[in-house]
Amino acid sequence: MTTSAGSYAPVDAAAPTSQPKKVAYFYDSDVGNYAYNAGHPMKPHRIRMAHSLIMNYGLYKHLEIYRAKPASKFEMTQFHTDEYVDFLQKVTPDNMDSFAKEQGKYNVGDDCPVFDGLFEFCGISAGGSMEGAARLNRGKCDVAVNWAGGLHHAKKSEASGFCYINDIVLGIIELLRFHPRVLYIDIDVHHGDGVEEAFYTTDRVMTVSFHKYGEYFPGTGELRDIGVGNGKHYAVNFPLRDGVDDKSYKGVFEPVIGWVMEFYKPSAVVLQCGGDSLSGDRLGCFNLSMRGHANCVNFVKSFNLPTLILGGGGYTMRNVARTWAYETGRLVGVEMGSELPFTDYYEYYSPDFELDVRPSNMDNANSPGYLEKIKEQVYANLRQTQAVPSVQMTDAPRHAMGQDETLDEAEGRLDDEEADLEKSKDRRRTQREWDRQTAGQDFLDDESEDEEMAEAIGVKPQPGVDFPRRRGIMDSLNPHAPQDDSGAGTPMDDDARSLDDGMDEDEEEVVMPPGSTGGATGMSLDGAADNTSNGETEGLEALVALKGTTGATTGTMNGHSNGSAADRGENGDKQPKLEPDTESSTLLPRPPTGEAGAEQTGDMEIDEPTSALSQATAPPHVSTTALSAAAAAGTVLSKVELTDLEVQAERDAGRSERREGDEEGEAAAEIAEGRVPVA
């Protein structure tokens, strides 16, 4: 059972293996378009890089490539709560401020930021895992691969460790529809806490995790965490220390998985291949090479069980892409050359441009004695498991055969059976019943009794004590990781962009002079009219509002700057229109003249100071002489005074008509009487 210290065998050399009948490969070309935030270590672009290597190595000839339908909101709620999924669907970077309380409740913020397309990204990840599990159930393939999956930290109602939707749990739930026992194996450097928590109380899923433990995210995965209730001894945790190498990892992985297969006898396997256990990872602390990592995939594949292969962590993109491409080749039995083919991302793999991730010279803190002690305890826990659990049992007889029962006993038994039948009915809840059960928003605002009591007695919440800071996945950085400049093109927070970059060349930037407000009526004039004085603009608007002569005013004013309205037909949609405001009581000031007027009017060419005010806009029956005289005298005419002038002009016109009529009548009388000689 045990292995003597220091006698671990090296990693098996790559050799052709028996190729499965079918390998289904799931990839969505949109997955690489999503980005968490500038400078964030999680980069979905690595999936596109791995896919590019897979295609250019020619592995697509041995794969069945599918683009899975993104998981819907209702499919996600098979594990996650309705409120949490609804929040992920609604929140965006534009409205995230209005969801401040929900962000704290669902742990969305630093490690798990809100970014554009968050819900769509989660749908792509979960859809590939669920569709892969469904094809395994139907026997359409022997191995299903979804490198966009493996987000093992997400909880039922909480985001964690860059993970929002736990696609692994959703895939396992799909597998449990056809398989009585499912084995989950996690080789990510971080503990698979989300998956273990989801199946901690059941024996239908055994979770096995090899991870770094001790002052490291997420802080769970101790050796003594073995499950509770029916799930006791069905959670296996193998805590490791820094610097584990290929030999040590192989020496613990293969024996433990062999014992699990012997005792548990799963009918399907899910393998999470987190790439942060590779050497040189930005957030990892292990020292595995590419071949040491792929050895785990090859060993699990050798059991010839329906297997779902998923991605996971991995924050040095060039290493993750090479490893996942290499492991895809091992799954289809193709040995890939060391020289990388040319791809769109060829420069990422400098300076060696080889298909290899080499270990470093970091120290291995996992002594053979420590590893043997952990292996012995794991073996002891596995021996406590029931051999082949969760086997369907036949119904036992309702009562012992050959024994008679009295009438009262029969009535009591029938009553119990009827009560049991009522309790065991499959009640389908309508949407209205679910809405009644869901707590309202006001319920979340209420303080608990403990908080009210603490406030009443003057106890204040202590930062770091009452509300300790969560351990973040980015709290532990690998000081030995090489500088990763592959994301140099990603814009950082201080990369300011000018808001005027997108302005068309033919658009004019309207600059209002100091003190100009565009008139009391809130209307703005285009072109050179914007450069006029505030008082002149108000006067123009007053005349426009008086008689609705918008076209005349606009044509006259714009005629000095942008040409006539007909000449501006192409850009007519860009010119703001003047709307008459009959409620305005704007006054008409005297227009500026002389040098001051020239400075205020800018480049406008005005023949006479009053031409734009009196001649262009005055109604034909209002005396322009009166307006000019008023302007020259410096008087300010209100609307009422302008109306009086208009009435006076009508009276003068009537007197002139009557006077002309009298003169014509008198001339005709003189001709009739012979007082005027007729020519």
Side-chain angles (χ1 to χ4, degrees), residues 580-599:
D581 185 3
T582 57
E583 300 296 326
S584 174
S585 60
T586 309
L587 302 181
L588 176 62
R590 178 182 179 181
T593 58
E595 297 180 357
E599 293 177 358

Side-chain angles (χ1 to χ4, degrees), residues 25-35 43-56 121 147-148 317 320-322 324-325 343-346 348-349:
Y25 172 80
F26 292 89
Y27 174 74
D28 193 310
S29 58
D30 293 336
V31 70
N33 297 331
Y34 300 99
K43 301 182 185 299
H45 179 63
R46 67 204 172 123
I47 304 168
R48 182 154 53 189
M49 292 173 58
H51 176 75
S52 181
L53 287 177
I54 290 171
M55 300 301 290
N56 285 277
F121 171 75
W147 294 125
M317 289 196 295
V320 177
R322 284 187 279 208
W324 286 351
T343 65
D344 293 336
Y345 316 104
Y346 189 73
Y348 281 76
Y349 306 104

Side-chain angles (χ1 to χ4, degrees), residues 627-641:
L627 290 176
S628 301
T635 58
V636 178
L637 304 180
S638 66
K639 281 188 174 183
V640 176
E641 293 171 328

Side-chain angles (χ1 to χ4, degrees), residues 275-293:
D276 48 10
S277 53
L278 292 166
S279 175
D281 190 80
R282 289 179 62 186
L283 301 183
C285 56
F286 286 176
N287 196 24
L288 294 182
S289 69
M290 180 186 72
R291 287 172 172 78
H293 195 274

